[in-house]
């Protein structure tokens, strides 16, 4: 089966909704898109950060749409505001996510529920909001930031890992349905990126990259119409290889080389 799906020739004038634009990877993507001349709707909970970002654009280039991804009605209202302003949307870029380190000895159900609400149901709510119009217009891009942590079980990720694994499966299933309908799905799997989310890590993060480099990888991948956008390759390819190994070898490598 062909994996071909539409890319994006240029971002100028494109109608993009970045959810999770107030920090880290999402903020870097939003800044790049604003500089490239896209019309950018910016979402996250921190209103003042959205306003600061908005001020970087020309008059009417950006929309500041504060919302909490755990609240479906807030996502729906924000999408309605986009449609009122721009009569549609070309690219949903869902970046928002939370990481609460959890191991067996501190596994807390409340933290797991919070993670699933934000990282699994959050993107599903946003996709549910935009899909009907995109299907009707036979065009549009849905890009979701997951993680290489979704490839296979890793330490300190008892809720985060499963939430990102769910997004891989969700993107695969979406691709199957949407590619024949002319829509593009972009499954984004970053390795370690230097952001407030990873600042809490107390171990050396291999192949750490900047949010700006992550944004370049993401936006270039979307422009090229790629489904599987993973980076940095030296790290993501290694993890893709690990998940193919038989479990005894997989866990042996984890125990010997991952000292966290
Ligand atoms: N950093 C990494 O190494 C790495 C690696 C792989 C994947 N990722 C993924 O990349 C994405 C961005 O991570 P990051 O490192 O850039 O993290 P970050 O700097 O902590 O940014 C997280 C973003 O998500 C938003 N967010 C969180 N909960 C939200 C909620 N309930 N409602 C609305 N917005 C919410 C935050 O906005 P507000 O706080 O303003 O709401 C913020 O804009 C996440 O999905 C993360 O899992 C990160």
């Amino acid at each position: 089966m062909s994996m071909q799906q539409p890319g994006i020739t240029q971002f100028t004038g494109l109608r993009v909704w970045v959810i999770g634009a107030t920090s880290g990877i999402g903020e870097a993507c939003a800044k790049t898109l604003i500089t490239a001349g896209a019309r950018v709707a910016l979402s996250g909970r921190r209103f003042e950060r959205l306003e600061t970002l908005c001020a970087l654009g020309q008059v009417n280039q950006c929309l500041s749409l504060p919302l909490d991804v755990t609240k479906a009605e807030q996502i729906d209202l924000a999408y309605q505001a986009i449609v009122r302003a721009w009569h549609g949307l070309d690219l949903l870029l869902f970046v928002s996510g939370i990481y609460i380190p959890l191991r067996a000895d501190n596994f807390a159900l409340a933290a797991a529920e919070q993670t699933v609400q934000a990282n699994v149901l959050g993107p599903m709510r946003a996709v549910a909001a935009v899909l009907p119009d995109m299907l009707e217009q036979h065009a549009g891009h849905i890009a979701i930031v997951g993680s290489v942590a979704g490839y296979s079980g890793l330490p300190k990720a008892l809720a985060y890992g499963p939430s990102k694994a769910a997004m891989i499966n969700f993107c695969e299933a979406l691709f199957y349905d949407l590619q024949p309908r002319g829509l593009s799905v972009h499954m984004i799997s970053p390795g370690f990126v230097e952001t407030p989310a990873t600042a809490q890590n107390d171990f050396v993060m291999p192949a750490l990259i900047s949010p700006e480099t992550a944004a370049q990888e993401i936006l270039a991948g979307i422009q090229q119409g790629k489904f599987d956008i993973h980076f940095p390759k030296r790290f993501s390819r290694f993890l893709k290889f690990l998940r193919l190994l038989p479990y005894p070898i997989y866990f042996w490598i984890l125990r010997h080389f991952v000292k966290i």
Side-chain angles (χ1 to χ4, degrees):
M1 185 179 150
S2 162
M3 292 295 290
Q4 202 74 34
Q5 51 178 10
I8 288 171
T9 319
Q10 56 168 4
F11 285 119
T12 317
L14 204 82
R15 300 162 299 182
V16 187
W17 186 12
V18 183
I19 302 184
T22 52
S23 168
I25 300 171
E27 182 181 8
C29 288
K31 284 182 174 166
T32 308
L33 287 162
I34 292 169
T35 307
R39 285 176 281 176
V40 192
L42 304 152
S43 289
R45 287 165 302 183
R46 284 168 288 176
F47 177 70
E48 64 295 343
R49 281 179 172 254
L50 297 176
E51 292 295 299
T52 309
L53 269 178
C54 248
L56 298 177
Q58 307 289 322
V59 179
N60 293 334
Q61 187 184 352
C62 297
L63 293 172
S64 162
L65 301 171
L67 58 79
D68 184 330
V69 299
T70 66
K71 310 272 191 295
E73 63 284 3
Q74 294 186 12
I75 292 188
D76 290 342
L77 281 175
Y79 179 62
Q80 285 162 24
I82 292 172
V83 173
R84 270 197 309 278
W86 300 335
H87 311 289
L89 181 72
D90 302 303
L91 165 63
L92 165 69
L93 177 52
F94 193 101
V95 193
S96 166
I98 58 168
Y99 169 55
I100 306 172
L102 288 177
R103 292 196 89 130
D105 48 15
N106 72 336
F107 187 65
L109 190 59
E113 283 177 347
Q114 219 181 318
T115 304
V116 171
Q117 277 294 339
N119 295 5
V120 179
L121 293 170
M124 287 181 170
R125 291 182 184 104
V127 169
V130 305
L131 252 186
D133 288 342
M134 283 190 177
L135 282 171
E136 202 174 295
Q137 70 200 25
H138 302 288
H141 295 254
I142 292 175
I144 299 176
V145 175
S147 170
V148 295
Y151 288 170
S152 49
L154 292 171
K156 283 197 174 176
L158 265 184
Y160 182 77
S163 77
K164 295 301 185 178
M167 277 308 99
I168 291 173
N169 198 300
F170 184 55
C171 287
E172 290 167 349
L174 267 182
F175 177 86
Y176 186 82
D177 281 351
L178 297 183
Q179 187 223 22
R181 312 279 294 267
L183 275 68
S184 300
V185 179
H186 309 281
M187 176 180 78
I188 300 160
S189 309
F192 288 111
V193 185
E194 199 171 6
T195 69
T198 47
Q200 61 183 317
N201 287 345
D202 54 2
F203 55 89
V204 178
M205 291 175 271
L208 185 68
I209 59 170
S210 70
E212 290 73 28
T213 304
Q216 271 171 22
E217 293 275 0
I218 290 169
L219 298 175
I222 292 173
Q223 281 207 280
Q224 291 156 23
K226 281 188 186 165
F227 168 67
D228 187 10
I229 302 173
H230 59 97
F231 55 86
K233 295 280 187 296
R234 62 190 186 280
F235 189 57
S236 53
R237 281 195 180 129
F238 176 64
L239 289 177
K240 272 175 181 278
F241 166 70
L242 275 192
R243 73 174 166 174
L244 299 176
L245 296 172
Y247 280 132
I249 304 172
Y250 173 75
F251 285 115
W252 185 88
I253 291 174
L254 272 198
R255 288 212 189 282
H256 282 79
F257 295 103
V258 184
K259 298 290 180 200
I260 59 172

